[in-house]
């Protein structure tokens, strides 16, 4: 049995709490490791080490920080396959999907290598006679990231690369379900030359999370997870004086207009609905079929389902792997049963999959779903695609805008005017036009609206730089000593 420790002060640190959690291979159902679960005292020790490291790292030149980021980027690009295999073994997603996750994280590292440019301020000469005014951005100190099981490498990289480049120390609390990727990243940071203590991994459960949220030396917390937990993270962190960005759940809609290219729309629905077994916050879980395209679209999606090969993600020819745990698989199966009992048409039932030893569920397609059904109202986070039929474009937009979530949405059409109107009308943070999963590239920022985001800052990109730094304005005068005089009046700029 492998024992997964913490990473504190540039080295692995065995847990001392006496508590551990199981780590499984979802494809076999077997426990492969146990992970240490940190106590409040262990979190405090880790933060103290990170706080001390932050002093020197903040003073490091932008060129030095950039050099470490460039080296880290090189190492990560060379060893993508190694990290992908670790992700597949603990999460279950197929190797190609795991490698894609690493690639999207790598993009954010590449963005962060430009930190000398990204940290530039502004300067106004002669704002008043003999007075110059300029702005600068400075790091916060020690910041924390609390990340989900579904992207054990990409989401930490979304956070830590920007935070570290900006001059902060970063404390990561990964999901206890698949923690090995975080320890692998820690070793890579060390190899890239990052000083000890600047990147820390504290494994744990709610006790570790709460310890980070209330610790006075944690300046900011970045979170990705479900909406109830995101709300809790935001309320608790801000109540303790922290800057918080908490990204929550989603119910992403894909609107298909009657003029859409049918095969392209069906292919996109399959890819976006069942990739990573639906365990993506940007997965398409609702296809909104407008008008006469509904019947042929459902038929086209259903015809593709038998071609999805389900099995161990480590096998090269597998398309979809297992879910993260037996409990989650059973929860998703319960939603399928609820959809059938509430009147949805079960076109394909993932519960009919031949029994396997791991946590598997087949691709499910539900037609004639209505907004009152639990399969529509709840975030299922599994391979379940619901089809809602509407008569008009206006009804489709109203459906999306009335939903409590506002993470991502997409429209499939050949009509440029309709697409442009859609991006204007829809209340969601990320919009795709004939793109089913519109995750922004690294030099934009990621984040939803409504119950999909708590806080006013999106993640990575320009918003990430803003989140992990704070602005300071300096007003300076260098007068001739011979002209010095006392003036008690209000400062003048004219």
């Amino acid at each position: 049995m492998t024992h997964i420790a913490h990473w504190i002060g540039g080295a692995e640190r065995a847990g001392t709490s006496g508590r551990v959690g199981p780590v499984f291979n979802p494809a076999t159902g077997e426990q492969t490791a146990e992970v240490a679960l940190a106590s409040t005292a262990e979190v405090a020790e880790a933060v103290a080490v990170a706080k001390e490291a932050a002093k020197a790292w903040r003073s490091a030149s932008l060129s030095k920080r950039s050099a470490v980021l460039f080296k880290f980027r090189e190492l990560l690009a060379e060893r993508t396959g190694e990290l992908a295999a670790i992700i597949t073994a603990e999460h279950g997603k197929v190797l190609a999907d795991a490698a894609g996750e690493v690639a999207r994280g790598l993009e954010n590292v590449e963005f962060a290598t430009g930190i000398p440019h990204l940290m530039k301020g502004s300067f106004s000469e002669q704002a008043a006679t003999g007075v110059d005014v300029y702005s600068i951005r400075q790091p916060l100190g020690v910041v924390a990231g609390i990340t989900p099981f579904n992207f054990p490498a990409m989401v930490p990289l979304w956070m830590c690369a920007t935070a570290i480049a900006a001059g902060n120390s970063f404390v990561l609390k990964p999901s206890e379900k698949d923690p090995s990727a975080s320890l692998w990243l820690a070793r890579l940071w060390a190899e890239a030359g990052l000083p000890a203590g600047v990147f820390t991994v504290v494994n744990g459960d709610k006790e570790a999370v709460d310890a980070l949220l209330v610790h006075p030396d944690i300046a900011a917390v970045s979170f990705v997870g479900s909406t109830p937990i995101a709300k809790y993270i935001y309320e608790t962190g801000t109540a303790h004086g922290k800057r918080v960005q908490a990204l929550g759940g989603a119910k992403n809609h894909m609107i298909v207009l009657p003029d859409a290219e049918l095969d392209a729309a069906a292919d996109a629905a399959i890819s976006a609905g069942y990739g990573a077994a639906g365990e993506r916050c940007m997965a398409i879980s609702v296809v909104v079929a407008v008008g006469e395209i509904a019947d042929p679209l459902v038929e086209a999606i259903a015809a593709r389902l038998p071609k999805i090969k389900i099995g161990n993600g480590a096998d090269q020819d597998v398309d979809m792997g297992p879910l993260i745990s037996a409990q989650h698989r059973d929860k998703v199966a319960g939603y399928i049963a609820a959809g059938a009992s509430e009147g949805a048409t079960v076109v394909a039932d993932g519960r009919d999959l031949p029994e396997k030893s791991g946590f598997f569920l087949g691709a499910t397609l539900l037609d004639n779903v209505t907004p009152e059904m639990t399969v529509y109202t709840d975030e299922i986070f599994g391979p379940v695609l619901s089809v809602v039929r509407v008569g008009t474009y206006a009804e489709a937009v109203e459906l999306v805008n009335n939903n409590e979530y506002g993470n991502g949405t997409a429209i499939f059409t050949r009509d440029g005017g309709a697409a442009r109107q859609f991006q204007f009308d829809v209340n969601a943070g990320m919009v795709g036009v004939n793109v089913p999963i519109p995750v922004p590239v690294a030099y934009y920022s990621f984040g939803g609206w409504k119950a999909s985001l708590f806080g006013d800052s999106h993640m990575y990109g320009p918003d990430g730089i803003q989140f992990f730094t704070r602005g300071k304005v300096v007003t300076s005068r260098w007068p001739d000593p011979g002209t010095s005089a006392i003036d008690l009046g209000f400062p003048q700029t004219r």
Side-chain angles (χ1 to χ4, degrees), residues 239-266:
H240 287 83
K242 305 186 189 316
R243 183 181 293 186
V244 179
Q245 55 176 191
L247 279 65
K251 199 70 180 180
N252 303 314
H253 296 65
M254 175 177 139
I255 295 175
V256 184
L257 296 186
D259 71 330
E261 210 290 310
L262 182 64
D263 287 336

Side-chain angles (χ1 to χ4, degrees), residues 121-454:
S122 58
F123 191 99
S124 295
E125 183 184 42
Q126 202 72 352
T129 303
V131 175
D132 301 327
V133 180
Y134 55 95
S135 66
I136 55 178
R137 300 207 66 83
Q138 295 181 334
L140 303 177
V142 184
V143 298
I146 302 170
T147 56
F149 72 83
N150 58 322
F151 288 105
M154 183 183 75
V155 173
L157 289 169
W158 281 2
M159 301 174 184
C160 72
T162 306
I164 289 171
N168 302 284
S169 285
F170 185 84
V171 179
L172 173 62
K173 205 303 287 184
S175 170
E176 64 274 26
K177 293 182 174 67
D178 47 6
S180 291
S182 295
L183 272 294
W184 189 92
L185 290 173
R187 289 187 286 271
L188 206 70
W189 276 116
E191 188 174 345
L194 188 69
V198 177
F199 183 81
T200 297
V201 179
V202 177
N203 289 303
D205 51 12
K206 188 176 185 296
E207 181 175 346
V209 169
D210 287 343
L212 290 170
L213 292 177
V214 303
H215 197 292
D217 290 331
I218 297 291
V221 176
S222 184
F223 171 83
V224 175
S226 68
T227 286
I229 304 302
K231 186 172 185 289
Y232 172 79
I233 295 285
Y234 180 76
E235 291 176 347
T236 306
T238 54
H240 287 83
K242 305 186 189 316
R243 183 181 293 186
V244 179
Q245 55 176 191
L247 279 65
K251 199 70 180 180
N252 303 314
H253 296 65
M254 175 177 139
I255 295 175
V256 184
L257 296 186
D259 71 330
E261 210 290 310
L262 182 64
D263 287 336
D267 289 342
I270 293 288
S271 300
Y274 304 114
E279 292 177 328
R280 293 171 174 163
C281 65
M282 287 295 286
I284 290 296
S285 54
V286 180
V287 172
V288 185
V290 180
E292 61 190 24
I293 202 168
D295 282 342
L297 179 61
V298 171
E299 291 173 7
I301 295 173
R304 286 161 168 76
L305 295 182
K307 301 175 184 177
I308 299 175
K309 185 172 182 180
I310 299 170
N312 191 322
D315 296 339
Q316 293 289 343
D317 59 344
V318 166
D319 301 307
M320 190 174 87
L323 278 78
I324 188 66
S325 68
Q327 294 83 357
H328 187 55
R329 175 200 58 200
D330 295 345
K331 180 181 179 181
V332 175
Y335 275 112
I336 300 170
S341 67
E342 292 172 4
T345 303
V346 182
V347 179
D349 192 334
R351 297 171 298 175
D352 295 337
L353 190 71
E355 188 173 343
K356 295 177 179 286
S357 58
F359 312 138
F360 290 94
L361 194 66
T364 296
L365 179 62
L366 304 177
D367 192 9
N368 298 304
V369 171
T370 63
E372 298 77 27
M373 297 178 182
T374 55
V375 291
Y376 179 82
T377 59
D378 295 3
E379 183 184 26
I380 298 174
F381 222 61
V384 179
L385 190 61
S386 299
V387 178
V388 177
R389 297 175 178 233
V390 298
T392 65
Y393 164 85
E395 291 178 72
V397 172
E398 183 179 16
L399 184 74
V400 176
N401 288 349
N402 286 342
N403 193 272
E404 67 171 312
Y405 298 108
N407 207 39
T409 188
I411 188 168
F412 275 70
T413 180
R414 302 185 195 195
D415 187 332
R420 189 177 187 280
Q421 186 64 39
F422 179 69
Q423 72 181 44
F424 180 83
D425 291 337
V426 72
N427 292 330
M430 293 169 283
V431 178
V433 176
N434 297 316
V435 175
I437 303 180
V439 176
V441 291
Y443 41 90
Y444 284 82
S445 296
F446 179 101
W449 290 5
K450 299 188 283 189
S452 295
L453 174 69
F454 295 86

